[in-house]
C-alpha cells in the first residue's frame, strides 16, 4: 500500500503544516469552546495508524478514537489527505535533532541511522507514505537539516552531499521496510515464519532435488552463512529478536558500513580516478 502525500488542498495543507493563522478553523455556530483541535486530531490519527495500520485510517476511525463523529473533525482538518500529511510530519518530531560529531561524522550518521531504523519500526505506516512527493512540512525539513549538518563534516561538494544524503535516506527506509514487513507477515497471514519456511523448504527439496547441483555457489553460501549465523545466535542468547528480523538488522548494519566507508571526503584522492591522483602517485 503506497500513499502519496500532498493530495489534499495545497493551500490548506501547507497552512496546517506550518500553523499559519488561517489554518486554525472556525466554528459555524456559537457555543462553548470545543474539546478538539488540530493537534488532538493528528495525535489520534497517529495512534490509529500505530495500532491498526494505514489501511484502517479514516476520518471516521479517528473520530471514533476521540469519541466524536467524522463530521466533527472537518472544521479542523479538511480530509484524510491533509490528515496524512500532518501525521507524517508530526511523528518525525520524535527523531533527535542533534548529534555529537566529536567522534567524526561517520559515527554521528551511524547513530542517526540507528535512531531512524528504530523510529520506522515503531511507526511502520510512515514507510507507506511515498517520498516521490514530500510533505514539505517543518518536521520533514528538520530531519533533513539534521543530516545535512552532520554531513558538512564529510568535506563533500554540495551536489555530492545532496546525492549521498538521498542514498542514506533511501537505504535506511528500504532496509527498515524489510524488517517491518517481516514483523507484519505472521499476524497478517496467520502463518508463522517457521511454518512458512518449513513447508516450502520441504516442497523445494521435493520439486528440486538437484537444487545444490543447479545452484552450487548459492547452496554453499547458504550452508556456511547459516552455520555462522547459528554460532552468532548462540553467542547472543539474550537476543530474542526473531531470526529473519535479526538478519535484516545485521544486513542493515553491514550495508551502512559499506556506504559510509565509500564516502570519501573531497580532499581524499580516488585511486580509481587518475584525474584526482596526487602529484607523484602516477
Amino acid at each position: 500500500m503506497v500513499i502519496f502525500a500532498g493530495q489534499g488542498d495545497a493551500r490548506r495543507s501547507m497552512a496546517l503544516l506550518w500553523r499559519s493563522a488561517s489554518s486554525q478553523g472556525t466554528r459555524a455556530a456559537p457555543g462553548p469552546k470545543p474539546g478538539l483541535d488540530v493537534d488532538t486530531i493528528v495525535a489520534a490519527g497517529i495512534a490509529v495508524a500505530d495500532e491498526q495500520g494505514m489501511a484502517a485510517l479514516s476520518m471516521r476511525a479517528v473520530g471514533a478514537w476521540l469519541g466524536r463523529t467524522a463530521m466533527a473533525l472537518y472544521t479542523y482538518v479538511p480530509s484524510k489527505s491533509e490528515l496524512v500529511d500532518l501525521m507524517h510530519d508530526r511523528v518525525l518530531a520524535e527523531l533527535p535533532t542533534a548529534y555529537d560529531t566529536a567522534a567524526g561524522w561517520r559515527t554521528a550518521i551511524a547513530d542517526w541511522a540507528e535512531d531512524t531504523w528504530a523510529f520506522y519500526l515503531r511507526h511502520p505506516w510512515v514507510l507507506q507514505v511515498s517520498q516521490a512527493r514530500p510533505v514539505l512540512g517543518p518536521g520533514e525539513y528538520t530531519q533533513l537539516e539534521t543530516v545535512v549538518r552532520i554531513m558538512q563534516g564529510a568535506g563533500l561538494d554540495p551536489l555530492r552531499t545532496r546525492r549521498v544524503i538521498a542514498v542514506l535516506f533511501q537505504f535506511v527506509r528500504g532496509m527498515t521496510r524489510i524488517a517491518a514487513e517481516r514483523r507484519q507477515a505472521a499476524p497478517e497471514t496467520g502463518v508463522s515464519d517457521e511454518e512458512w519456511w518449513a513447508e516450502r523448504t520441504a516442497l523445494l527439496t521435493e520439486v528440486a532435488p538437484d537444487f545444490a547441483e543447479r545452484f552450487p555457489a548459492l547452496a554453499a553460501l547458504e550452508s556456511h552463512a547459516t552455520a555462522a549465523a547459528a554460532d552468532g545466535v548462540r553467542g547472543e542468547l539474550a537476543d530474542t529478536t526473531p531470526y529473519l528480523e535479526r538478519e535484516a538488522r545485521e544486513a542493515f548494519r553491514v550495508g551502512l558500513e559499506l556506504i559510509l566507508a565509500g564516502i570519501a571526503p573531497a580532499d581524499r584522492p580516488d585511486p580509481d580516478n587518475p584525474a584526482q591522483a596526487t602529484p607523484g602517485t602516477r
Side-chain angles (χ1 to χ4, degrees), residues 184-205:
Q184 295 164 354
E188 291 194 14
T189 64
V191 180
S192 71
D193 288 338
E194 291 77 11
E195 293 171 323
W196 191 93
W197 280 103
E199 180 181 25
R200 278 158 179 76
T201 299
L203 289 171
L204 185 61
T205 302

